[in-house]
């Protein structure tokens, strides 16, 4: 389905995926390479970057359930969305200021928290932007257009970073321009959602806001544990999304530690975006034919094989290209269908509150994944062992998802 055939609300919601994906692409491909120029010689990019991502994920996971509960109140969802996008874009643009690795990581952690926080509110807007029978389709469209849309500012960033020296622009200045380009793109593509998608599902405001917030969180926890299907899905999601996030966040730094040329890394990851665009759309269509659960099981099994390939066979640029293409085939599908499946299982007026817990499961998983990679790499001195350590989580995720009842 083309963007033009969607409703204005659906199209506006999908466009934000194009905005936030630009930052994700930059953080995956170029920022770790730039960060390597700031660290001391001989230091591992995987270790430092892994700990930074762990801290960002941990802080976000602690905050989002409370913020999500507050955002469910009438009129709050959009305010929280605007706040996280605005703060994150400013922090992203400011990444070109620090000249030391520590200062850079502090600002990056702030930008990363705001990016992922905005995506929690964005995900929760799905229940306001479309109808339940279209969750799979619209969610898949979001990831698909996010992949292809992120390529536009990313190519512009590549031109100023890699092509800049030919016209007298140093790589350092080029990266500063790349941060600014991406921040502007992020804000620009948040505007349609802010203007056209409105909070139609909400909780009424209470007289005692603090008490109502925490009592609501308690009720949500009880409902999650009483609902077997929702409980098993969230546990499965906790396991398999760990590996997905870790591969996204650590792939470039892993390739850098293996000695693969940075240009090869960046171009291969750009290929991932082009492959992921049609793949995410196909996944949305296949879910309607074969069911969301079955397609998620296929994606989890594929990611397990991808992890084994990365650990045992990836040593040079050609293998990294193979890895990037394989990730592109399943990345959009597993993320889009996880989001839409969760939306089907929760009460819509508590969407932010539930997505706050959904984010805990996703972000604590990301804490575990990046921590495992960093710790095992540091202990063994072998990045491949670090990558291999996350394979067991795909196995656990597959088993839990398999046990989830159909109805």
């Amino acid at each position: 389905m083309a963007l033009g055939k969607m409703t204005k609300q659906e199209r506006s919601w999908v466009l934000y995926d194009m905005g936030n994906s630009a930052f994700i692409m930059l953080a995956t491909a170029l920022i770790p390479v730039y960060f390597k120029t700031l660290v001391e010689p001989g230091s591992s990019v995987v270790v430092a970057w892994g700990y930074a991502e762990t801290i960002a994920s941990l802080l976000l996971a602690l905050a989002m359930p409370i913020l999500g509960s507050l955002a469910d109140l009438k009129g709050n969802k959009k305010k929280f969305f605007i706040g996280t996008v605005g703060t994150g874009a400013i922090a992203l643009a400011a990444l070109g200021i620090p000249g030391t690795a520590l200062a850079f990581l502090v600002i990056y952690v702030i930008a990363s928290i705001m990016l992922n926080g905005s995506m929690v509110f964005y995900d929760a807007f799905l229940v306001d932007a479309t109808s339940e029978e279209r969750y799979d389709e619209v969610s898949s469209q979001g990831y698909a257009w996010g992949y292809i849309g992120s390529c536009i500012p990313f190519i512009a960033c590549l031109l100023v970073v890699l092509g800049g020296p030919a016209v007298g622009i140093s790589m350092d200045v080029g990266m500063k321009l790349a941060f600014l380009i991406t921040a502007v793109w992020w804000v620009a593509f948040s505007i349609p959602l802010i203007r056209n998608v409105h909070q139609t599902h909400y909780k009424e405001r209470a007289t005692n806001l603090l008490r109502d917030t925490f009592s609501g969180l308690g009720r949500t926890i009880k409902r999650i544990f009483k609902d077997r299907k929702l409980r098993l899905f969230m546990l499965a999601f906790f396991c398999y999304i760990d590996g997905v996030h870790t591969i996204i966040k650590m792939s470039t730094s892993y390739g850098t530690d293996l000695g693969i040329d940075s240009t090869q890394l960046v171009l291969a990851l750009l290929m991932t975006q082009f492959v992921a665009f049609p793949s995410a759309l196909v996944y949305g269509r296949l879910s309607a034919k074969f069911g969301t659960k079955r397609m998620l099981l296929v994606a989890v099994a594929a990611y397990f094989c991808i992890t084994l390939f990365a650990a045992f066979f990836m040593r040079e640029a050609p293998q990294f290209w193979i890895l990037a293409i394989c990730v592109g085939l399943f990345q959009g599908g597993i993320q889009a269908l996880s989001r839409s499946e969760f939306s089907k299982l929760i009460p819509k007026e508590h969407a932010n509150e539930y997505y706050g817990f959904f984010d805990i499961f996703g972000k604590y998983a990301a804490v575990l994944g990046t921590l495992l990679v960093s710790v095992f790499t540091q202990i063994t001195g072998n990045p491949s062992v670090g990558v291999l350590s996350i394979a067991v989580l795909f196995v656990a995720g597959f088993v839990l998802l398999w046990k989830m009842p159909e109805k």
Side-chain angles (χ1 to χ4, degrees), residues 89-326:
I90 291 171
L92 173 57
L95 280 176
I97 297 175
T100 64
L102 180 59
F104 180 88
L105 283 179
V106 169
I107 298 176
Y108 174 77
V109 165
I110 294 171
S112 180
I113 289 173
M114 293 299 110
L115 168 71
N116 288 285
S118 76
M119 290 170 67
V120 173
F121 303 124
Y122 165 64
D123 288 345
F125 263 121
L126 179 62
V127 303
D128 304 303
T130 190
S131 56
E132 184 169 333
E133 63 269 16
R134 288 176 53 75
Y135 284 170
D136 284 353
E137 173 70 20
V138 175
S139 183
S140 297
Q141 289 280 344
Y143 273 106
W145 286 101
Y147 287 129
I148 202 69
S150 66
C151 293
I152 299 171
F154 184 69
I155 290 172
C157 293
L158 285 181
L159 290 175
V160 297
V161 173
L162 301 181
V167 293
I169 300 175
S170 67
M171 185 170 291
D172 181 64
V173 173
M175 279 302 303
K176 289 178 170 60
L177 292 173
F179 295 140
L180 185 60
I181 290 169
T182 307
V184 171
W185 180 273
W186 182 11
V187 172
F189 279 86
S190 69
I191 294 173
L193 188 152
I194 293 169
R195 293 183 59 183
N196 300 322
V197 181
H198 307 289
Q199 186 178 4
T200 58
H201 299 92
Y202 50 79
K203 300 183 299 185
E204 294 292 343
R205 293 182 176 273
T207 53
N208 191 321
L209 183 60
L210 186 63
R211 184 179 63 188
D212 182 69
T213 297
F214 283 97
S215 63
L217 289 174
R219 288 192 298 270
T220 298
I221 293 172
K222 290 180 182 178
R223 285 194 292 263
I224 289 172
F225 279 95
K226 286 183 178 180
D227 187 330
R228 183 169 182 267
K229 183 174 182 179
L230 180 59
R231 183 176 70 250
L232 283 174
F233 175 75
M234 291 186 72
L235 289 172
F237 176 77
F238 173 89
C239 293
Y240 69 70
I241 209 65
D242 165 78
V244 175
H245 285 168
T246 303
I247 288 172
I248 292 171
K249 292 176 178 180
M250 305 294 291
S251 57
T252 303
S253 54
Y254 176 52
T256 300
D257 268 11
L258 290 178
I260 299 174
D261 179 70
S262 60
T263 302
Q264 291 280 352
L265 295 175
V266 169
L267 292 177
L269 290 172
L270 186 60
M271 175 61 71
T272 299
Q273 305 301 100
F274 287 108
V275 173
F277 173 65
S279 298
L281 294 177
V282 169
Y283 246 76
R285 307 287 169 79
L286 290 175
S287 68
K289 183 176 181 180
F290 298 106
T292 306
K293 175 183 171 180
R294 186 172 298 175
M295 295 309 300
L296 282 172
L297 286 169
V298 170
V300 174
Y303 259 102
F304 173 77
C305 295
I306 287 169
T307 305
L308 296 183
F309 177 83
F312 292 112
F313 300 104
M314 198 180 88
R315 296 294 180 269
E316 298 177 349
Q319 289 85 36
F320 191 84
W321 278 85
I322 294 172
L323 179 74
I325 292 170
C326 290

Side-chain angles (χ1 to χ4, degrees), residues 3 14-22 142 145-146 149-150 152 185 189:
L3 282 174
V14 165
L15 286 174
Y16 182 67
D17 235 317
M18 295 177 66
N20 67 60
S21 295
W145 286 101
S150 66
I152 299 171
W185 180 273
F189 279 86

